[in-house]
Amino acid sequence: MNKINVKILLLFFISLTAQAKLAVVTTTTDLKALVSEVGGEWITVDAIAKGTQDPHFIEAKPSYMTKTSHADLVVSIGLDLEVGWLPSILRGARNPKINPGEKGNLEVGPLLDPLEVAQGKISRSKGDVHPFGNPHVNLDPIRMGKAAVFIAERLGQLDPVHMTSFLEKAKALQRRFESKTKIWQTRIDKTKIKKIVTYHKTLTYFFDRFHLENPAILEPKPGIPPTSGHILEVIQVIKDQKIRLVMVENFFDSTVTHRLKEEVPFVRTADIPVDVDGEAQINNLDDLYEKLVQTLEGK
Amino acid sequence: MRGYIFLTIFMVSVQPVFAEVKASKAFNPDISANFLGLFQRFNQGHDDRDQSNHNGVSLQEAELQMTSDVDPYFRASVLLSVSQAKGSTDSGIEPEEVFFETISLPRVTLKAGKFKAALGKHNQLHTHAFPFLDAPLISGDLLGGEGLNEEGVSAAVLLPTTWFSELTVQAMGTNNDALYNSSSSGHIAPVAYWKNLWDLSDDLTFELGVFGTQGNNSFTSTTSAYGGDLIFKWRPTSGGKYKAFVWQTQYMAGSRLGNPTGEKIGGISSWIQYQFAERWWAQARGEYEGISQSTTLPKKNKQSVLLGFFPSEFSGLRVQLDRLVVENLPNEYKFAFQYNVSIGAHPAHAY
């Protein structure tokens, strides 16, 4: 009888282990969308930042420490995007599995061929610069396809049983983004828009991917709010280069664009989401990229 | 050709040196410096430069901080503070916090060294992170100007609850002049702090903490101090770059048995902080000292208002007006302007 009980107990624990899902926490909703699609039913995933928040400035709420204290994996962008808050959360979580450099800590940004990596000596007199590169890799569908594969590999290291499933899903996502990127490029080409003004250098990777230019930024320097003098300079650039579109990331105050419209009647301004859940109906990265393309199309 | 060969030899020979320099820099600690400059004028103040709290301009404090992982098991932090020495115009340097702590243990952080005791939320803040230019009245009167900051050991445990719940227990020295000043270096005082935080919504959190300590004092008896924190913080997930609101209240009381000037002291400080634009904060604070207090100690009332402008994460300018009413003394009115500057490694902000 005792032997039977032991067997039942063993089976119970084996089934528990088999059903245990990897607990993943991501810093942004975009990464959550990727992890969710790649991990499928074998993981649970939660994001720290909301899609409507500026990911540079998230408060390190202790409740995030509780959340990450149970995590098997924390996925972040890196490139100093989360430098003001993620270290505090990781320290407070007291979870050695997710310490930087451990298998349970993945920074995807440095793996995605970052743009605008600082050369030579840098200084904060140039604003809130990121020495290791622009961290807004999330707006390039091709890079995010690659990120999905890196995430799948890391999930597979933590849960080798489902490695094949993770990789298959990641590669399917990557192929879908590659295919859609060609369609989005064609649609963007049709708009004849080549130059766009933004509030911050959030869309650098999107513009680089779709061969668009960003000749002026409303912030005089990264992280510094627009000044009257700088707005006048931007207005002059818009007039000189006949720029037709200004896109303002929707966690910034867009009232500054009222003045642009007064001075330059032909310019169109749009508040745009730049993260999944950044506004209603933006439920995944496909929706997000589609929204950006539609904004260029004037829809 | 000779030049080319020389250049090649030079490049080959210096490359490992550069690599060594780069590799050694990678192990350098994160280094940052912060300093606070102050201009203040108050009607009950004095113009004696030897006193640290004098009228006019002064360098309130400069801090140099170095932090790094030690090995796979520990992280260490060294924070040196430079400020005006008591009774002198010279500056003194002292180890404000020097400790190491574990990074490899689940659910708990063990710490040893000299550090700010977990006696409430405010006591753990450095001067540059104070919500106002000065500490709450009761903190200053009960714990002294530097707060409770001693040599000791600490264990902070994250409790297995669905909300954030952390229990910190510490054993600290009893050198603090205001609170203990015990006669023996062998005396140890326990400190405990239980901190809880709930997300009432994505925009709003509620924090509740209770804390206490007890130890030998200079009157060959014991001192105990205890209190609580109550904090509401609101920052909307949409538009939160431009507006936020904090309401924080701290109650603290102490019993210093044998103290001839008065054994019991207790007070409350409550303040609101309102962010009304991306870089602007307006704040107000009301304080009362005299709750369950010995009649020999004067009751105190204080009101403060503050306006803060923060050009970036690394600099801030603040103006504060105070009115202090102390029983049987003339009212004190004070104006103060402070600048706050940080350089070096990006700070990881505490919530």
Side-chain angles (χ1 to χ4, degrees):
Chain A
M1 188 64 183
N2 280 344
K3 280 185 180 173
I4 292 170
N5 279 343
V6 169
K7 278 183 183 173
I8 290 170
L9 270 174
L10 269 174
L11 280 171
F12 175 71
F13 283 117
I14 288 167
S15 66
L16 268 185
T17 314
Q19 285 171 7
K21 295 181 176 184
L22 285 178
V24 185
V25 173
T26 65
T27 53
T28 68
T29 48
D30 300 324
L31 292 172
K32 180 186 172 185
L34 278 190
V35 170
S36 179
E37 184 166 341
V38 171
E41 64 195 293
W42 309 114
I43 57 122
T44 61
V45 59
D46 221 335
I48 293 175
K50 306 289 174 201
T52 50
Q53 290 179 299
D54 181 347
H56 295 90
F57 300 103
I58 302 299
E59 291 179 309
K61 287 184 194 174
S63 44
Y64 300 146
M65 298 168 189
T66 303
K67 197 179 274 187
T68 48
S69 69
H70 310 295
D72 298 299
L73 175 64
V74 169
V75 184
S76 62
I77 295 288
L79 303 174
D80 277 359
L81 178 71
E82 303 99 339
V83 69
W85 50 278
L86 187 58
S88 295
I89 292 173
L90 294 182
R91 274 201 292 278
R94 280 153 271 203
N95 178 355
K97 285 190 291 186
I98 57 167
N99 281 346
E102 298 297 329
K103 207 188 285 184
N105 185 306
L106 174 63
E107 288 185 7
V108 295
L111 308 172
L112 300 175
D113 186 22
L115 300 173
E116 299 175 347
V117 178
Q119 302 294 323
K121 189 169 167 56
I122 57 166
S123 154
R124 290 213 176 98
S125 66
K126 298 186 190 320
D128 193 10
V129 288
H130 292 270
F132 308 111
N134 184 315
H136 301 290
V137 291
N138 59 313
L139 294 183
D140 175 6
I142 299 300
R143 280 184 172 82
M144 289 309 262
K146 287 181 184 165
V149 176
F150 288 124
I151 289 168
E153 288 170 352
R154 187 58 63 91
L155 288 173
Q157 287 174 25
L158 294 165
D159 179 5
V161 174
H162 300 109
M163 166 76 99
T164 312
S165 164
F166 298 143
L167 279 174
E168 278 174 2
K169 285 178 176 150
K171 286 185 175 160
L173 179 147
Q174 191 177 25
R175 283 193 297 276
R176 187 175 81 237
F177 280 178
E178 283 169 357
S179 164
K180 283 191 170 182
T181 296
K182 290 175 189 160
I183 297 166
W184 286 324
Q185 181 70 68
T186 307
R187 286 167 57 190
I188 288 171
D189 289 345
K190 280 185 187 167
T191 66
K192 308 285 186 200
I193 289 175
K194 286 287 173 198
K195 296 176 180 179
I196 300 167
V197 170
T198 57
Y199 192 103
H200 179 73
K201 297 188 90 171
T202 315
L203 285 107
T204 299
Y205 290 90
F206 184 82
F207 293 157
D208 182 68
R209 178 61 55 200
F210 294 107
H211 310 102
L212 297 162
E213 291 174 45
N214 192 197
I217 310 282
L218 293 172
E219 288 178 333
K221 290 176 180 176
I224 305 298
T227 58
S228 299
H230 181 69
I231 294 297
L232 287 175
E233 288 173 20
V234 173
I235 287 169
Q236 199 55 50
V237 172
I238 291 172
K239 285 177 177 171
D240 292 347
Q241 302 193 28
K242 297 189 170 44
I243 295 169
R244 290 186 285 145
L245 181 60
V246 176
M247 293 165 89
V248 177
E249 304 87 324
N250 66 1
F251 41 72
F252 291 116
D253 180 6
S254 62
T255 51
V256 66
T257 58
H258 298 164
R259 180 148 178 220
L260 296 183
K261 292 183 86 167
E262 281 172 17
E263 297 281 336
V264 196
F266 62 79
V267 81
R268 179 162 60 88
T269 64
D271 289 357
I272 50 155
V274 286
D275 288 290
V276 170
D277 292 334
E279 68 176 36
Q281 315 300 327
I282 308 295
N283 299 317
N284 52 46
L285 283 166
D286 302 66
D287 293 343
L288 180 63
Y289 302 138
E290 179 65 28
K291 173 74 182 180
L292 296 178
V293 174
Q294 285 180 3
T295 303
L296 265 81
E297 291 174 327
K299 291 180 182 171
Chain B
M1 185 64 182
R2 272 178 62 190
Y4 175 76
I5 292 168
F6 174 77
L7 186 66
T8 306
I9 293 169
F10 175 76
M11 292 296 283
V12 169
S13 62
V14 297
Q15 226 169 9
V17 178
F18 281 143
E20 278 172 26
V21 170
K22 205 172 173 184
S24 68
K25 276 187 176 175
F27 292 113
N28 282 352
D30 289 340
I31 301 173
S32 61
N34 170 273
F35 60 92
L36 302 169
L38 186 68
F39 169 80
Q40 62 182 9
R41 191 101 220 143
F42 50 125
N43 63 329
Q44 302 300 324
H46 39 74
D47 295 335
D48 183 355
R49 288 191 188 87
D50 288 346
Q51 302 300 314
S52 53
N53 197 19
H54 60 77
N55 277 326
V57 291
S58 60
L59 181 67
Q60 190 179 359
E61 188 182 56
E63 287 181 350
L64 179 67
Q65 181 165 19
M66 289 164 280
T67 304
S68 179
D69 290 343
V70 178
D71 54 28
Y73 314 105
F74 303 111
R75 176 190 301 112
S77 191
V78 175
L79 198 148
L80 305 174
S81 168
V82 182
S83 58
Q84 185 178 348
K86 279 180 188 165
S88 162
T89 54
D90 295 336
S91 291
I93 184 164
E94 67 171 54
E96 184 163 326
E97 287 199 291
V98 179
F99 62 83
F100 73 109
E101 60 185 359
T102 56
I103 54 173
S104 55
L105 297 177
R107 304 215 76 84
V108 63
T109 302
L110 304 179
K111 182 160 76 170
K114 180 175 186 287
F115 49 86
K116 291 176 175 290
L119 198 68
K121 193 176 182 84
H122 198 284
N123 190 63
Q124 297 175 81
L125 298 176
H126 292 277
T127 314
H128 65 86
F130 282 4
F132 287 79
L133 272 52
D134 50 356
L137 260 184
I138 183 65
S139 297
D141 287 347
L142 185 57
L143 309 177
E146 307 296 321
L148 186 59
N149 181 355
E150 300 291 316
E151 294 84 0
V153 293
S154 168
V157 183
L158 193 59
L159 300 176
T161 49
T162 52
W163 71 95
F164 176 86
S165 185
E166 180 187 56
L167 179 65
T168 304
V169 289
Q170 302 178 326
M172 311 290 285
T174 51
N175 189 37
N176 179 287
D177 288 344
L179 191 64
Y180 299 119
N181 199 18
S182 80
S183 55
S184 167
S185 60
H187 288 151
I188 297 293
V191 176
Y193 180 36
W194 184 30
K195 174 180 165 180
N196 297 275
L197 180 135
W198 293 267
D199 282 322
L200 301 183
S201 72
D202 286 340
D203 302 346
L204 182 65
T205 61
F206 167 59
E207 185 176 330
L208 180 67
V210 289
F211 51 85
T213 181
Q214 187 174 50
N216 297 78
N217 62 25
S218 56
F219 312 109
T220 61
S221 190
T222 56
T223 283
S224 58
Y226 54 90
D229 295 314
L230 189 71
I231 306 158
F232 287 91
K233 280 194 180 185
W234 173 80
R235 184 181 288 281
T237 51
S238 187
K241 275 181 78 71
Y242 303 94
K243 54 190 172 187
F245 183 80
V246 180
W247 175 34
Q248 181 165 350
T249 300
Q250 175 189 274
Y251 167 74
M252 195 185 283
S255 169
R256 302 168 294 185
L257 297 179
N259 188 338
T261 60
E263 290 188 338
K264 291 193 170 182
I265 183 170
I268 190 165
S269 291
S270 188
W271 60 89
I272 54 172
Q273 298 169 263
Y274 175 53
Q275 182 191 357
F276 59 93
E278 186 173 359
R279 303 189 286 181
W280 289 89
W281 286 81
Q283 303 178 188
R285 179 177 65 183
E287 303 181 82
Y288 175 68
E289 197 175 285
I291 303 168
S292 306
Q293 188 164 288
S294 302
T295 50
T296 47
L297 292 172
K299 290 182 170 58
K300 296 182 182 178
N301 266 298
K302 188 175 178 183
Q303 297 85 39
S304 310
V305 290
L306 180 148
L307 183 67
F309 173 64
F310 300 86
S312 74
E313 279 185 273
F314 306 96
S315 61
L317 308 169
R318 302 196 290 179
V319 175
Q320 182 173 318
L321 301 172
D322 297 306
R323 172 179 177 265
L324 174 63
V325 180
V326 181
E327 211 174 16
N328 305 321
L329 285 175
N331 290 357
E332 180 181 296
Y333 298 93
K334 182 173 174 183
F335 166 86
F337 167 79
Q338 182 200 57
Y339 56 83
N340 182 343
V341 176
S342 298
I343 55 174
H346 196 295
H349 306 294
Y351 184 67

